[in-house]
Amino acid sequence: MARKLRMGMVGGGRGAFIGGVHRIAAAIDQEIELVCGAFSSDPEKSRLSGEDFYLPPNRVYGSYEDMILKEKELPEGERMDFISIVTPNHVHFGPAKLALQHGFHVVCDKPLAFNVDEAEQLVRLVEETGLVFALTHNYTGYPMVKQAKAMVRDGKLGKIRKIVVEYPQGWLADKKEDTDNKQASWRSDPAKSGMGGAMGDIGTHAENLAEYVTGLKITEVCADLTSYVEGRRLDDDANILLHFEEGAKGVLHCSQIAVGEENGLNIRVWGETGGLEWHQEEPNTLIYKRHEQPAIIYRTGVGELDPAAVAATRIPPAGHPEGYLEAFANIYKNFAATVRAKMDGREPTAIESDFPTVRDGLRGMRFVEVVVENSRRSEKWSRV
């Protein structure tokens, strides 16, 4: 297929943070072009946003329903190929469901939906239609995260014993939702964010990263969630003990009241013969630790790395940082390659299909639900 994939966007208009991230990431590899959008629930704001992106007025819509239905009526050579959903959590399910029902592939910002029931409906729709669905757990896109996954898979650590994953932030240490901070406002509102605060916002990133790197599913949790800021309706701090498949155990900590922290996502994994350590704020470095031997430093773009890590690396020579936007772009790149494979009538390769899917999204929703419920109970452990 000798053309770019055509993207329609839901949300992400003027003043939005994550919409700009998605547009930049989708454009990095020149595989995708933005052709239309419903950029706001306010039709006038959507129109003005379309002007910002130099889109023709007839491809800028006042609602996602209008966009999906009218794009479906266009000739196949003009209509969008997929939608990218970059709205607050409570507006993920509607456009995703309608797009799948009308034959459009989907990229959706995490979480997958507002609750588990909605998530399960989307899983069924994806499986019934055979369409491609990517969820932007973007931290899995880093080259050194893919290298870590490959090393665990190839037995470099031996049998996994312990996983510690953390995501501390400090931006909600005071009650920003009472100001004009739009990001704080919807994230702290149960009607828009869902049942989880910090747990649903960043805790699911930590959960997804732990399962992605180790290949092990979480089976049980023992959770303690807290709302430290007076009057806040959702948790802003979480501490969770984890049981994984095959006997591994772990700890997940996430917080948005960790004063002074920025985006400190990190993971440490220990097996019988070795360990790994990776920090999102130092993304080009992966530390491989061995028993009573010097640690080995792996660097993005240096030496012999796993093919998945190589495929996720763009910038030669080594030493130029590849960060958040590039990791996001790797989700879009692999999604686009998988869509192209389907259009060309072939099966995508393992590297092309290496991105979070609708089923990862369902696991994340179930994880948040179980964690929140467990934190309210007196019993110690709950099964995921």
Side-chain angles (χ1 to χ4, degrees), residues 55-340:
L55 293 175
N58 66 324
R59 301 296 291 277
V60 180
Y61 301 95
S63 69
Y64 72 80
E65 295 96 337
D66 197 29
M67 182 182 80
I68 292 169
L69 296 177
K70 287 187 176 177
E71 286 290 315
K72 183 66 175 180
E73 293 174 356
L74 293 176
E76 189 173 346
E78 296 179 25
R79 71 170 75 117
M80 65 182 182
D81 296 304
F82 73 96
I83 68 165
S84 176
I85 303 169
V86 295
T87 56
N89 300 356
H90 69 299
V91 195
H92 287 186
F93 174 71
K97 179 181 178 181
L98 193 63
L100 292 169
Q101 289 173 331
H102 286 80
F104 295 110
H105 306 286
V106 177
V107 174
C108 184
D109 206 38
K110 51 71 57 189
L112 176 60
F114 189 71
N115 54 45
V116 170
D117 177 66
E118 289 183 352
E120 289 175 338
Q121 289 186 56
L122 292 180
V123 169
R124 287 194 294 270
L125 264 175
V126 170
E127 293 178 348
E128 288 168 4
T129 61
L131 293 164
V132 183
F133 195 113
L135 191 72
T136 52
H137 275 302
N138 54 292
Y139 301 107
T140 65
Y142 283 104
M144 288 297 96
V145 170
K146 295 186 182 299
Q147 178 66 25
K149 177 183 178 67
M151 292 175 71
V152 172
R153 179 198 66 212
D154 293 344
K156 298 292 187 183
L157 278 62
K159 184 179 179 181
I160 301 304
R161 290 172 168 171
K162 186 166 184 176
I163 302 114
V164 176
V165 62
E166 304 170 301
Y167 200 155
Q169 296 176 334
W171 73 291
L172 287 178
D174 52 18
K175 207 161 186 280
K176 282 190 171 58
E177 56 264 45
D178 287 351
T179 69
D180 60 355
N181 189 309
K182 180 179 178 181
Q183 299 299 320
S185 177
W186 76 258
R187 281 177 166 83
S188 60
D189 182 354
K192 295 180 178 179
S193 185
M195 65 170 58
M199 190 62 241
D201 190 16
I202 59 176
T204 50
H205 275 307
E207 167 263 334
N208 178 259
L209 183 65
E211 292 196 343
Y212 179 80
V213 168
T214 65
L216 300 174
K217 304 299 185 187
I218 297 166
T219 59
E220 290 183 308
V221 302
C222 177
D224 181 17
L225 272 57
T226 307
S227 298
Y228 276 106
V229 174
E230 186 175 356
R232 180 164 287 159
R233 291 181 288 172
L234 293 171
D235 62 275
D236 50 29
D237 185 84
N239 301 278
I240 308 165
L241 298 177
L242 305 171
H243 285 171
F244 290 81
E245 297 170 326
E246 300 180 15
K249 297 185 178 182
V251 178
L252 187 157
H253 148 68
C254 70
S255 181
Q256 292 177 317
I257 51 86
V259 174
E261 297 293 337
E262 296 173 359
N263 274 283
L265 176 65
N266 66 85
I267 186 168
R268 287 167 286 167
V269 182
W270 294 278
E272 293 176 341
T273 60
L276 290 173
E277 181 174 348
W278 178 80
H279 294 259
Q280 196 267 154
E281 292 180 351
E282 183 77 30
N284 277 25
T285 298
L286 175 67
I287 304 172
Y288 175 39
K289 302 175 181 181
R290 300 166 296 165
H291 187 53
E292 296 182 345
Q293 296 183 60
I296 296 175
I297 306 298
Y298 285 82
R299 293 280 293 168
T300 299
V302 178
E304 188 174 335
L305 300 172
D306 186 80
V310 174
T313 303
R314 289 179 178 78
I315 309 174
H320 292 96
E322 297 203 34
Y324 182 77
L325 290 172
E326 289 86 353
F328 235 110
N330 283 331
I331 304 294
Y332 272 96
K333 182 176 75 169
N334 290 355
F335 167 82
T338 298
V339 170
R340 287 181 184 280

Side-chain angles (χ1 to χ4, degrees), residues 9-13 23 34 36-41 46 49-50 53 55 60-61:
M9 181 164 278
V10 180
R23 286 189 293 273
L34 179 69
C36 64
F39 300 106
S40 173
S41 56
S46 182
S49 300
F53 310 140
L55 293 175
V60 180
Y61 301 95

